Amino acid sequence: MSDHENASEMVQAEALNPTSADGGQQTLTLDGRVYPMEALPADAVVVLNDLIRCENELNEHRFRLRQLASAQQSMTVTLTQLITAAGLEPIATVDGAQVDAAQSEDEAA
């Protein structure tokens, strides 16, 4: 993982978790430094909100990808069961090592 990715992850993890200091003041931790939230300039608040939205969307997409991967695995199992139930036999393997007798005879002729 590159330094940029590490820094990005740290910023996201820290920036997206504003905390309350002892006096009830919300703070933002960024690059190991703590800032009071009310002191942030307006444009920094906009960027922080955008960062939070991006993180939320990224998490939603990660969740959707996990759903799709699970569905794909389930469909693969179902397809395998349907092929087996139909009594189909493979005519070859991906590397071509296993070929059924009928196909071998056709190739020899």
Side-chain angles (χ1 to χ4, degrees):
M1 188 176 289
S2 72
D3 290 340
H4 173 71
E5 289 170 331
N6 285 335
S8 176
E9 284 184 6
M10 182 173 25
V11 166
Q12 289 175 3
E14 293 176 345
L16 301 181
N17 296 310
T19 57
S20 295
D22 293 338
Q25 176 185 31
Q26 278 201 326
T27 60
L28 170 69
T29 305
L30 186 64
D31 292 333
R33 297 182 182 125
V34 180
Y35 302 95
M37 289 289 285
E38 76 266 357
L40 291 176
D43 54 344
V45 172
V46 169
V47 171
L48 178 60
N49 287 332
D50 289 344
L51 180 60
I52 290 169
R53 273 191 291 279
C54 286
E55 182 68 17
N56 289 338
E57 285 186 36
L58 184 59
N59 286 334
E60 289 174 19
H61 288 295
R62 285 180 180 141
F63 176 72
R64 183 67 178 136
L65 284 172
R66 286 192 306 271
Q67 284 181 318
L68 291 169
S70 179
Q72 187 178 38
Q73 289 174 347
S74 177
M75 286 185 269
T76 300
V77 168
T78 301
L79 180 60
T80 301
Q81 291 170 344
L82 290 170
I83 289 171
T84 301
L88 295 176
E89 294 294 327
I91 57 173
T93 61
V94 173
D95 62 7
Q98 177 186 352
V99 178
D100 73 352
Q103 186 177 3
S104 295
E105 290 174 9
D106 290 341
E107 290 175 358

